[in-house]
Amino acid sequence: MKVLQQVWVVAGQPCGKYLAAVMGTTLVSMEAHTGSDTFNKAWARFSSGVRAKLLAMNPFTIDRLLTPFKLSAPPPGSSLPVRSRRNQYMEAVPIMSRIPDIYWPPALVAIDTVAHCGNNDKGQYAFILTAANVFTG
């Protein structure tokens, strides 16, 4: 169970169907980093027998075994709205909260940012800037 939980976390916490599909490559990657002490005490329980059981595991069994662990794990991070500081350009750039139905020029774009920071916004994390052409979608 501990090794399965560690593999699930390393693989990005996918569902059992996807974890079963990437189980072999994830185990190979984890085996390549065994000396780095990255995988806690769970990796001390890893053996060739455990490896064979993990590779033969049914996706439904994976989901059933991981359900208690998933319920006790912290919830996945939600995206936070990005709040920029007030600066001199805020008044210069018009912000449209609603696009009129009549005015849809091909050059009109809707822009938004999303911060992928997990449960809090401290530390380093990734931002995504999305820009969608309103006319073409």
Side-chain angles (χ1 to χ4, degrees):
M1 281 300 299
K2 293 292 182 186
V3 177
L4 176 63
Q5 291 169 0
Q6 189 67 42
V7 171
W8 177 70
V9 170
V10 168
Q13 302 177 352
C15 66
K17 181 178 179 181
Y18 292 123
L19 184 59
V22 299
M23 183 73 74
T25 56
T26 306
L27 287 174
V28 169
S29 298
M30 290 176 72
E31 288 169 344
H33 295 91
T34 53
S36 64
D37 197 34
T38 308
F39 303 113
N40 304 337
K41 297 176 183 175
W43 203 246
R45 300 176 185 195
F46 185 74
S47 65
S48 59
V50 172
R51 186 186 206 298
K53 287 180 183 179
L54 289 173
L55 291 173
M57 206 172 277
N58 186 328
F60 300 111
T61 305
I62 293 172
D63 281 332
R64 182 176 47 83
L65 293 175
L66 287 176
T67 298
F69 183 67
K70 288 179 183 180
L71 293 175
S72 67
S78 59
S79 62
L80 297 174
V82 178
R83 295 178 187 92
S84 61
R85 294 185 195 130
R86 190 160 187 85
N87 58 32
Q88 62 185 357
Y89 301 108
M90 296 230 16
E91 289 80 23
V93 178
I95 297 175
M96 298 173 63
S97 60
R98 189 180 84 72
I99 301 169
D101 293 333
I102 300 167
Y103 183 68
W104 282 39
L108 182 65
V109 293
I111 298 175
D112 192 16
T113 56
V114 178
H116 296 274
C117 56
N119 293 331
N120 61 20
D121 59 350
K122 293 187 170 105
Q124 295 180 349
Y125 46 89
F127 285 98
I128 291 182
L129 174 69
T130 59
N133 187 318
V134 176
F135 185 73
T136 61

